[in-house]
Structures are given as structure tokens and as C-alpha cells.
């Protein structure tokens, strides 16, 4: 089962996303939140597999959510749903770390397809933290010297 967190400023849009994703087998929506601050708390406490966000949130925008999510987990897939974007909007989201930008259609079919395809992909393990690697190397060297 894939756990999806929806973060969207509009209550109506959140509800539409929940209804669209609940129709897809193997997907569970474990939260539908209106703001960035609450989303970051939930991301830190739960096992989220995919983040789906709208462009505008109650206390920020999707670019801020993407950047903050990447600081928490570099491998977590992020899908942005918005009106048909201009190329510059689409590129700004991809540069910030979004995996996909999905144009909002009436039935959110593209969103369903994208989340379903993400569910099929194996999740990459996050890259090791360079400072952690240096610390492990230094402790190994100190251990060897001590012996």
C-alpha cells in the first residue's frame, strides 16, 4: 500500500485529489492538509511514500514545500498539480526538486496515472550524508591506530 500525503491550500481541490486517488487500488491517502507547517510535521512523523501538492498553500507555496521536503528526505517523490503551467513555472518546480508537474484536468486522470507509476518504482535509498561518512572513516582510523 502506498501512502500519499496531499498538501493543497484549497479545500475543494484537496477533496477532489483525495477522491481521485482513493479510486486507485493500492493507494491510501493518509493526510490532506492545507498548509506547509503542518505538512512538515506529518512528513517528520509518518511513513509517507508520495507527496502531492497544489501550487498555492495557506502559508506559502509549493516551491517552499518542495525545498523543505528535500531537506527532510531527498528521495521522496513529489508531484505538483496545477493549472496548465507556463514553461517557466514548470521548470521552477522541477529545479526546486519536484519529480512531476501535472496539469489539472477535470477528473485528475493524469494525477492518478503519475501516482500509480510512482507506486511501481522501487524507492531509491537516500545518499549517505558526507559528514557521517567522514565521521565513520575517522572513527575507523582511530580504532585501527589504537589497535
Amino acid at each position: 500500500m502506498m501512502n500519499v500525503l496531499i498538501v493543497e491550500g484549497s479545500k475543494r481541490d484537496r477533496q477532489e485529489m483525495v477522491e481521485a486517488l482513493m479510486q486507485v487500488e493500492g493507494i491510501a491517502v493518509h493526510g490532506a492538509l492545507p498548509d506547509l507547517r503542518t505538512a512538515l510535521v506529518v512528513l517528520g512523523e509518518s511513513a509517507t511514500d508520495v507527496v502531492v501538492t497544489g501550487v498555492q498553500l495557506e502559508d506559502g507555496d509549493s516551491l517552499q514545500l518542495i525545498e523543505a521536503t528535500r531537506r527532510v528526505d531527498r528521495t521522496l517523490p513529489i508531484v505538483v498539480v496545477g493549472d496548465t503551467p507556463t514553461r517557466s513555472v514548470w521548470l521552477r518546480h522541477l529545479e526546486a526538486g519536484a519529480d512531476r508537474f501535472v496539469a489539472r484536468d477535470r477528473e485528475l486522470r493524469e494525477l492518478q496515472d503519475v501516482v500509480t507509476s510512482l507506486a511501481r518504482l522501487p524507492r531509491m535509498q537516500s545518499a549517505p550524508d558526507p559528514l557521517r561518512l567522514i565521521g565513520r572513516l575517522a572513527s575507523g582510523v582511530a580504532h585501527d591506530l589504537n589497535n
Side-chain angles (χ1 to χ4, degrees):
M1 185 68 64
M2 173 176 269
N3 291 318
V4 177
L5 176 65
I6 297 173
V7 186
E8 165 63 59
S10 161
K11 183 176 183 178
R12 179 182 57 81
D13 290 346
R14 266 194 322 272
Q15 184 63 35
E16 288 176 359
M17 288 182 199
V18 168
E19 289 172 4
L21 292 176
M22 293 300 288
Q23 294 175 12
V24 179
E25 187 177 329
I27 293 177
V29 176
H30 76 98
L33 309 169
D35 61 290
L36 173 66
R37 187 178 59 223
T38 308
L40 293 176
V41 170
V42 170
L43 284 171
E45 296 174 350
S46 66
T48 300
D49 298 313
V50 175
V51 174
V52 174
T53 184
V55 175
Q56 196 61 39
L57 310 177
E58 286 185 357
D59 60 350
D61 63 23
S62 56
L63 292 171
Q64 293 169 313
L65 175 65
I66 294 165
E67 291 166 354
T69 301
R70 289 293 172 235
R71 286 191 295 269
V72 172
D73 185 343
R74 293 188 176 280
T75 65
L76 189 63
I78 301 172
V79 179
V80 180
V81 180
D83 296 323
T84 306
T86 62
R87 182 166 173 77
S88 64
V89 169
W90 179 73
L91 287 173
R92 275 198 333 246
H93 283 83
L94 293 178
E95 288 170 359
D99 294 289
R100 294 290 301 270
F101 194 107
V102 175
R104 179 181 296 282
D105 60 0
R106 205 166 94 184
E107 290 143 10
L108 295 169
R109 294 272 185 228
E110 187 177 0
L111 175 62
Q112 291 173 330
D113 293 343
V114 166
V115 173
T116 300
S117 69
L118 290 172
R120 291 186 190 125
L121 296 175
R123 182 131 176 237
M124 296 182 334
Q125 295 297 320
S126 61
D129 180 16
L131 292 176
R132 182 175 291 163
L133 290 175
I134 291 170
R136 288 179 65 192
L137 178 64
S139 67
V141 169
H143 176 73
D144 288 346
L145 290 174
N146 197 25
N147 286 339

